[in-house]
Amino acid sequence: MNKRTIKLLLLTICLLGSTMFLGRIAKAGYEIQLDELSIASTEESRKNRQVLTNMPIELYGPVEEKTFFYEVRSDIAPAGNEIVLHLKHSELLIEPSAVTISIDEENVRSIPLNSETLTNRIVIPLTGDALAKGFHSVKVTFNGVIKEGVCVDQETPGNWLTIGIDSSLRLNEQTSESPSLSEYPALFTEQEGQQVTIVLPDNASLQTRGAGAAIGAYLKGKSVGANGIKILRESKIGTITGNFIVIGTPSEFTSQTMKSLFAKGEVEVQKEGLSLSRHRVANKGGTVESLIITAQSPDQIGSRISILLQDRYSKQLVGQKMTITSIPENVSESGTITLKKFGIGNLTFDQSTSKSDTYFGYAPPRMDANPAMELRLRRSDTLKYTSQEIESSLVGEAVEMVIYVNDVPYPIDVRSLGEEDNGIYSVHVPIQEGTIKANRLISLRFEVNGLKRKNPCLSNNENRWVYLSEDSYFTFQEGESMNEETLASYPYPFSDPSEQTQIVLPAGKKVGDDELMTLFGSLTAFGGVPAIELVDGGRFDGKKASHNHLIFIGGPSFHPSLREVEKDLLVGMEEEIPTFESFGFLQEAVKQYSWMQGNPWSDKKYAMIIFSGVGENMSLVDGHFLESLSNLEEPSTVAIQTKEQHLYTNAIQFQEVKDAVKSVKAEENVDVLTKWWLIGFASILLLAVVVYVIMKRKARKNNLEL
């Protein structure tokens, strides 16, 4: 062996050694053995399992399909990966009815359907390219036949198949060699049966409590289950059954478990900024992933937590540890909202797929009414009119795309699309006034009719399709506001990121962490949660509050500050208890109540809303009540929920008052016009008299001179 070979060998050994050493350093603060924490191992059958849909999906024959998507983020163990489909179908199906599953456009299995077996559990193993890193598609195609014979119409309500909500995907992702914060929030959203826990200090500051409630609401909005996110204090942790997030400054935590976690995780807290670090925590009970969110002071947590509450920021996280010192400015709402912001990707409609899912979003808070949609479409050449087709007895059916905005249909004749630009058609669709309600919630779905041939005797293999680009968008003209600020506009203006909102906690009444998370969740719009300041009601500062929207948890009996402005409150009080008889409500029936009005401490246009309850064991924040308020359509300012959870508002009375005010203003305008008309008439008459007198004198003078 010559000297050159020996040098190369030594250099290689050194490089390998340094790489292993650096790898150990990198993992030193990532993989933690923490015996102080009780971890319950998840059943192997439920581990890494994700549900495919949170509602049953119905497919109708003769042919229809549904596509699901999944993402592989890390290396996958070669065994145990699968898709499980639970199907039910019509008892009228006969051969050759079948369901076909394809992965990444490659057919992997077809299963016959018949009247003898009406339910199917289909397990499709995932192997090879289906486990490569990146996004993958799973297509379920239903081909239903219910009658035999020539020219038999198969498109009837009895020709159906349902994909159940217990259908699921299982991916056995292996330990990542380069753990990254980029897996937030996906790693900390609830999957099937695995709860995510947010751990707060026992004596958490208001800023830390607010951050925990906001993070919980953000993750809950991205989770499949309704109860998969839980907030616990450090002394109440018990047994961890899934991944968890720790929020708070090191000095706020007092338990040995949290102190050991910070120490073994080698958590470094800079003098300035928000520190994030990801750790794998293991002991004999199992292994879970954790995220630590900390800073030197609670103020620094409160000022930067918005980075973890907005998709556009959280997608920028990198590395196993990261300290964020910057504070991004609030991005003002644009008058353009693309379909991508609704979570809608490019959609292709054909004879197998004629309907989209339903998507939800919000109109911007400071935009005038009368919006419009600008659609970017492509269509197959077979959907263009031709002279031969018009003369033929086999004229193709009309093809119509219907856009449902809040269930109001807006049709487009696809065959009659006009000018195209490189194969792309731009279609302007005005949205009529009243389609988007005061709450600004927009439900959106698409359907294309006419892609299937209705004539069962006409056999053809035309490829007829319509493509909708995700770059299609809503447009809103900028203005003061789409609607006046009433309960129907909730959660705005309180969730407007361009303005400040304070949540005022009651004095002498405890508000639970989960109640706060529920309230924050009701303020969510487009997947983002606003960073809102929590204020102790006992330290309420009216001067500071004059520049904020206000949310009071608890009525006047819990807030001396509200009693001080009693004369300015919309709802009257008797012995510190709000009275609702004047609004047409039975006082004895009220369990929860809310009212919305202007901020009495502010000269500017800021709003205030109050949430409270009645009774000994009352809950100040009720999830059902908040959900009902979020779905109001008629403007109102006062709402109650009865003990049987029925909701009533003062919408009729509110409208009558508005109409009366309009009538008074109209009369005032008429009076003003009448007054000015009389003044004008008198002025003209006076002017005429003056002119007459002058002319008379002039004529007399001329006569004297003659």
Side-chain angles (χ1 to χ4, degrees):
M1 187 179 295
N2 56 35
K3 291 183 178 180
R4 181 180 178 85
T5 304
I6 293 173
K7 287 181 179 180
L8 286 172
L9 183 60
L10 290 173
L11 180 61
T12 302
I13 293 172
C14 290
L15 287 173
L16 287 173
S18 62
T19 301
M20 293 173 64
F21 177 71
L22 290 173
R24 287 176 181 172
I25 291 177
K27 286 191 174 184
Y30 169 55
E31 296 182 346
I32 302 172
Q33 186 72 21
L34 192 65
D35 294 329
E36 295 91 337
L37 185 66
S38 176
I39 300 175
S41 59
T42 307
E43 295 177 29
E44 192 62 28
S45 61
R46 291 165 58 187
K47 191 175 182 181
N48 297 323
R49 190 174 292 278
Q50 309 166 31
V51 297
L52 288 179
T53 176
N54 56 6
M55 63 180 65
I57 297 174
E58 294 184 341
L59 303 180
Y60 291 94
V63 179
E64 193 169 3
E65 63 188 28
K66 173 65 180 177
T67 302
F68 303 96
F69 298 92
Y70 66 93
E71 181 186 8
V72 177
R73 298 188 298 264
S74 64
D75 293 334
I76 300 291
N81 306 290
E82 60 189 20
I83 293 171
V84 180
L85 297 173
H86 290 268
L87 309 176
K88 293 192 299 183
H89 61 264
S90 169
E91 60 270 26
L92 302 179
L93 295 183
I94 62 174
E95 293 183 354
S97 298
V99 61
T100 298
I101 295 92
S102 63
I103 299 175
D104 296 334
E105 302 300 326
E106 180 180 348
N107 292 336
V108 294
R109 191 170 175 186
S110 291
I111 296 93
L113 305 173
N114 54 58
S115 59
E116 295 179 3
T117 306
L118 300 181
T119 60
N120 298 82
R121 181 180 183 271
I122 303 170
V123 180
I124 308 295
L126 297 176
T127 59
D129 293 340
L131 301 178
K133 290 183 181 179
F135 286 93
H136 300 269
S137 64
V138 179
K139 184 187 296 182
V140 180
T141 303
F142 168 55
N143 183 11
V145 180
I146 58 173
K147 293 180 181 179
E148 292 181 310
V150 179
C151 303
V152 175
D153 185 6
Q154 301 291 341
E155 194 170 344
T156 72
N159 193 351
W160 58 267
L161 175 139
T162 299
I163 303 173
I165 59 175
D166 46 355
S167 300
S168 60
L169 165 74
R170 180 180 171 188
L171 293 175
N172 292 320
E173 298 193 57
Q174 294 180 328
T175 301
S176 174
E177 293 300 320
S178 54
S180 175
L181 294 167
S182 63
E183 294 188 66
Y184 172 88
L187 197 63
F188 299 95
T189 56
E190 183 264 347
Q191 303 299 336
E192 186 179 322
Q194 297 185 54
Q195 190 176 78
V196 174
T197 304
I198 296 173
V199 181
L200 299 180
D202 283 340
N203 299 311
S205 62
L206 288 178
Q207 294 93 329
T208 298
R209 283 198 73 189
I215 290 288
Y218 177 66
L219 297 176
K220 195 170 185 177
K222 295 182 176 297
S223 297
V224 176
N227 302 306
I229 309 296
K230 185 75 174 177
I231 298 179
L232 291 176
R233 296 304 177 100
E234 57 181 320
S235 61
K236 305 292 184 182
I237 292 177
T239 301
I240 291 289
T241 58
N243 298 339
F244 66 97
I245 296 177
V246 176
I247 304 176
T249 66
S251 59
E252 287 182 288
F253 288 102
T254 57
S255 68
Q256 185 58 44
T257 301
M258 291 297 104
K259 289 182 179 296
S260 296
L261 178 63
F262 274 74
K264 293 183 179 180
E266 300 177 3
V267 177
E268 299 176 1
V269 182
Q270 305 297 329
K271 184 175 290 188
E272 186 74 22
L274 186 72
S275 296
L276 311 175
S277 57
R278 179 181 156 187
H279 308 272
R280 175 172 295 119
V281 180
N283 58 35
K284 61 183 180 181
T287 302
V288 293
E289 291 284 344
S290 69
L291 172 66
I292 298 178
I293 304 170
T294 187
Q296 278 278 12
S297 68
D299 288 338
Q300 294 191 42
I301 293 178
S303 64
R304 293 178 174 84
I305 198 63
S306 60
I307 292 164
L308 298 174
L309 303 177
Q310 302 289 336
D311 292 345
R312 63 177 176 269
Y313 298 140
S314 63
K315 290 178 181 177
Q316 301 176 41
L317 300 179
V318 294
Q320 185 243 328
K321 295 184 178 181
M322 189 177 185
T323 298
I324 300 169
T325 57
S326 59
I327 303 178
E329 294 183 9
N330 285 327
V331 179
S332 60
E333 289 281 0
S334 168
T336 299
I337 301 179
T338 64
L339 297 191
K340 284 189 288 188
K341 198 164 185 181
F342 281 81
I344 305 175
N346 297 321
L347 298 175
T348 299
F349 301 91
D350 53 28
Q351 64 175 352
S352 300
T353 304
S354 60
K355 300 178 183 179
S356 76
D357 294 330
T358 301
Y359 302 89
F360 297 92
Y362 283 89
R366 298 297 173 192
M367 300 293 161
D368 285 334
N370 302 319
M373 285 196 74
E374 301 291 338
L375 299 183
R376 299 289 182 262
L377 301 175
R378 291 179 182 269
R379 68 179 180 184
S380 62
D381 289 340
T382 52
L383 294 180
K384 296 180 180 179
Y385 282 123
T386 65
S387 57
Q388 293 86 352
E389 185 177 34
I390 294 173
E391 295 170 0
S392 170
S393 61
L394 296 177
V395 176
E397 295 87 347
V399 177
E400 180 184 61
M401 169 177 274
V402 185
I403 305 104
Y404 290 91
V405 181
N406 289 344
D407 293 326
V408 177
Y410 291 89
I412 297 171
D413 186 349
V414 176
R415 285 185 174 273
S416 298
L417 294 178
E419 296 294 325
E420 61 177 303
D421 181 13
N422 196 24
I424 298 176
Y425 297 86
S426 297
V427 183
H428 179 78
V429 183
I431 306 300
Q432 69 183 34
E433 186 174 354
T435 299
I436 299 177
K437 305 297 183 181
N439 63 7
R440 299 172 31 267
L441 180 67
I442 301 175
S443 68
L444 192 60
R445 60 188 173 93
F446 302 88
E447 182 176 343
V448 180
N449 303 314
L451 294 176
K452 298 178 182 180
R453 289 291 194 181
K454 296 294 184 181
N455 188 343
C457 289
L458 178 61
S459 177
N460 72 89
N461 60 353
E462 278 188 3
N463 184 18
R464 299 149 60 88
W465 53 264
V466 177
Y467 173 89
L468 173 64
S469 171
E470 63 184 10
D471 294 325
S472 302
Y473 56 90
F474 273 96
T475 59
F476 296 84
Q477 294 183 353
E478 192 167 347
E480 284 298 315
S481 178
M482 278 186 58
N483 300 91
E484 58 190 314
E485 293 169 350
T486 71
L487 290 175
S489 68
Y490 187 81
Y492 283 89
F494 308 101
S495 56
D496 187 346
S498 64
E499 298 185 353
Q500 297 296 316
T501 295
Q502 291 181 342
I503 293 179
V504 187
L505 300 176
K509 174 74 173 178
K510 183 179 179 181
V511 178
D513 294 325
D514 287 332
E515 287 182 297
L516 267 184
M517 182 170 64
T518 299
L519 179 56
F520 271 81
S522 72
L523 300 172
T524 302
F526 274 124
V529 178
I532 292 177
E533 180 184 3
L534 289 185
V535 176
D536 184 346
R539 300 180 180 180
F540 179 79
D541 184 346
K543 187 175 181 180
K544 184 178 179 181
S546 65
H547 303 287
N548 294 269
H549 297 299
L550 300 177
I551 299 175
F552 277 87
I553 300 180
S557 60
F558 295 101
H559 292 280
S561 54
L562 287 176
R563 297 196 293 273
E564 291 172 3
V565 292
E566 179 179 350
K567 60 180 176 46
D568 297 319
L569 297 181
L570 176 65
V571 178
M573 293 191 298
E574 290 184 8
E575 298 181 355
E576 300 182 359
I577 298 175
T579 56
F580 298 100
E581 290 95 335
S582 61
F583 297 97
F585 306 138
L586 294 176
Q587 189 77 14
E588 296 79 8
V590 178
K591 182 181 180 183
Q592 304 290 144
Y593 66 83
S594 177
W595 81 77
M596 188 170 171
Q597 65 172 77
N599 177 349
W601 291 274
S602 174
D603 295 331
K604 296 183 179 180
K605 192 177 181 182
Y606 289 101
M608 177 179 76
I609 192 168
I610 293 172
F611 296 109
S612 194
V614 176
E616 293 182 2
N617 299 318
M618 71 173 119
S619 172
L620 300 182
V621 179
D622 182 87
H624 184 272
F625 186 43
L626 288 174
E627 184 178 355
S628 299
L629 289 181
S630 299
N631 294 319
L632 287 178
E633 294 186 352
E634 294 183 307
S636 59
T637 51
V638 182
I640 67 160
Q641 180 176 275
T642 67
K643 297 172 183 178
E644 294 182 351
Q645 294 194 327
H646 298 305
L647 183 77
Y648 298 94
T649 72
N650 68 329
I652 296 176
Q653 185 190 64
F654 179 74
Q655 188 61 44
E656 289 175 350
V657 171
K658 277 182 62 180
D659 292 342
V661 171
K662 286 181 181 179
S663 177
V664 169
K665 287 184 176 179
E667 290 177 2
E668 290 176 351
N669 290 336
V670 170
D671 291 342
V672 169
L673 287 173
T674 303
K675 176 182 176 182
W676 282 108
W677 185 87
L678 291 173
I679 292 173
F681 178 76
S683 300
I684 293 172
L685 185 62
L686 179 62
L687 181 62
V689 171
V690 171
V691 171
Y692 174 78
V693 171
I694 293 173
M695 291 182 67
K696 192 76 173 173
R697 287 179 178 177
K698 189 174 181 180
R700 186 179 298 173
K701 184 178 180 181
N702 290 337
N703 291 333
L704 291 173
E705 290 177 352
L706 290 173

